[in-house]
Amino acid sequence: MKKHLFRLLCTVLPLVLLTGCWQAELIEEEPDALPPVVEEEPPPETPRVVLPETFALPYAPSQTLDPVECSDGIQQVVGSLLYEGLFRLDNALEPQPSLCASYTYDPAAYRYTFTLREGVAFSDGSSLTAADVRATLERARQSERYRSRLAGVASISGRGNTVTITLTGPNTGFPALLDIPIIKSGTQKNTVPTGTGPYCYAAEGGNAYLTVNPGWWRGGGQPLERIPLVEAADHDTLLYRFSSHDIQLMTADLTGTQSSGTTGKVGCIDAETTVLQYLGCNTARAPLDNLALRRALWNGINRAYVVSAFLSGHGSAAQFPVSPASRLYPSGLEETGSADTFSAALLQTGYTAERPLTLLVNEENSFKKSIAGFLAESFTNAGLPVEVQVLPWAEYNAALTAGDFDLYYGEVRLTADWNLAPLLSTGGALNYSRWSNPQTDALLAAFAAAEDRTTAMNTLCAHLQSQAPILPVCFKSTSVLYQADVLENLTPTAAEPLYNLTSCLIRLREPDAEMGE
C-alpha cells in the first residue's frame, strides 16, 4: 500500500504560486510576405464534475468513540456529530452556550451554577439531566485527556437541571473549558456512548453509519439523513481513502510530524487553535538574564515570514501568548521591527558574544527545525551567534527540564481560558525558561479573577512585552480537507469540523444519474 500511496499522493503543502513571463521577439518581415496563417486552438474543455453518491466520513472501528477517552484525530469528526458540551468554542475561541442555557458565578466562593437547556434529550429519547453532566465531568477530571484542564475544580454537584462547580481559585474564563462532550450516564462502558448530537451511530450488516437524531434539540436541519462511516484505522489508510474519494472530509495538521498529501480537487479551510509556538529564553543564566538582550530578540523575529514561508500560512503571527483570533489579543501593543532595527537594538545592549548561544529543537518535526534554523541564521546575521541543536523528543524534554539550553523552540496547547500560569508563573509546570517575577505572578492572578478580562489581558501582555521571558511566534491552525464541489459553506472550528452543520450544502449524485451530471 505504501508504494501505491507514494505514487498516488502528492504533498498539499506548501502551496506555491508559479508566475511566468514571456518576451515578444521582433522579426523584420519581407515587404511582400503574406501574414502567417494562425490556427485558433479550441478552448480547453471544462473538467467534468464527478460527484459521489454518498458523503462518507472516516472512523476507526477498533478505537472507542467515547469522547472522554478517545484522542483527537480520525475519530474527531464523527464524535463532533454525536456529542455536545455545555459550551462550544466559536471561530474566535470564545465559549458559546450549547447544552447550558445560562450560568451565574459567585467570585467570593469561586462557584459556578449552570442551568441546563430545557427540552434536550439523548439520541435514545431519554432526557438530559444534571446527573449525566456531573458523571461525565467527574470522569473527565480523572482522564488523561482532560485532567490538567480541570485541575482547578474542587467539586461538582448536580440536581435536576442545575450543575454546580466549585473551583479552587478564581477563574472568570472557566466556561471556555466546558466544551467537553457530555454522554448519558451509564453508557460510558460502550464503545459508542449515547450523546445529544445531531446524529446517532448505527450499524447494519457490518457497515457502520450515522443516522439523523430526530429528537435533536436544535430542531433538525441536518443536511443528510445518513452518513456512511468508512474504516480508516491509520494515517496512511486515511490518506488513501480521502484521495480515492471513499471519504469526502478529513482533518489534518499540515505542519505536524506526519505530512498529509492528496490528489484531485481538494478544498482546504483552516480553523484557529490555542496551539502556541514560541522561543523560550533561559532567563536564569547569562546572557539571557539580560533584559535588554531579550527585548532586542522580541523585535528580532519576522513572525509573518515564519508563518508564510515555513508553515505555508497555516497559522497566525502573534507577538503575545493569546491568539490573534481572540478578542483578548492586544493588537494595539504590537511593535514593528526590521533587520536594521534589530541589529541596532543588539548594538545598544552592549552585548559581546563570547560563545554561540544554543537553540534546542526536537528532531521529529521538520517544520520546527526549519523555523529554528531560520531564527538562528537571522540572529547570527544581526550579530548574535546562535547554533541549532536538534534532539530526539525524549532528550529535548530532558534538556528543557534540566535547564540545559539558552533558547528553545517550543509548542504548547494553551487552554481556551488563556491561563498562562503553567507557562509563566514561578514554578509553573511548563516554565522551562526559569522565569520568576512577582509582578508577573500578580498579573496572572489578576487576569484569572478579572471581570474585565480584556483590560486585564492587555495589562498582562504589556508587562510580558517589557520583560520578554518568552518570545511568542505564532498560533498554529488545524486544517479541514474536503472534496471540492461536494461541500459548500463550510465553517470549521478546531473541535468541530462541521461547526455550522445546518448551513452546510452537500452536493451528491443521484444513484441512477449519469456520471458527471
Side-chain angles (χ1 to χ4, degrees), residues 206-226:
N207 297 318
Y209 59 93
L210 300 182
T211 184
V212 162
N213 175 6
W216 190 33
W217 62 272
R218 290 186 184 271
Q222 298 95 321
L224 296 172
E225 290 291 325
R226 177 175 173 139

Side-chain angles (χ1 to χ4, degrees), residues 12-30:
V12 167
L13 298 173
L15 300 174
V16 182
L17 298 176
L18 300 178
T19 60
C21 62
W22 63 273
Q23 180 177 357
E25 182 178 355
L26 297 179
I27 302 176
E28 184 177 351
E29 296 183 356
E30 297 181 8

Side-chain angles (χ1 to χ4, degrees), residues 103-105 110-114 163-165 167 171-175:
Y103 69 92
T104 60
Y105 175 54
Y110 313 142
R111 181 179 300 119
Y112 279 90
T113 302
F114 301 95
V163 177
T164 301
I165 301 179
L167 307 181
N171 185 354
T172 53
F174 182 67

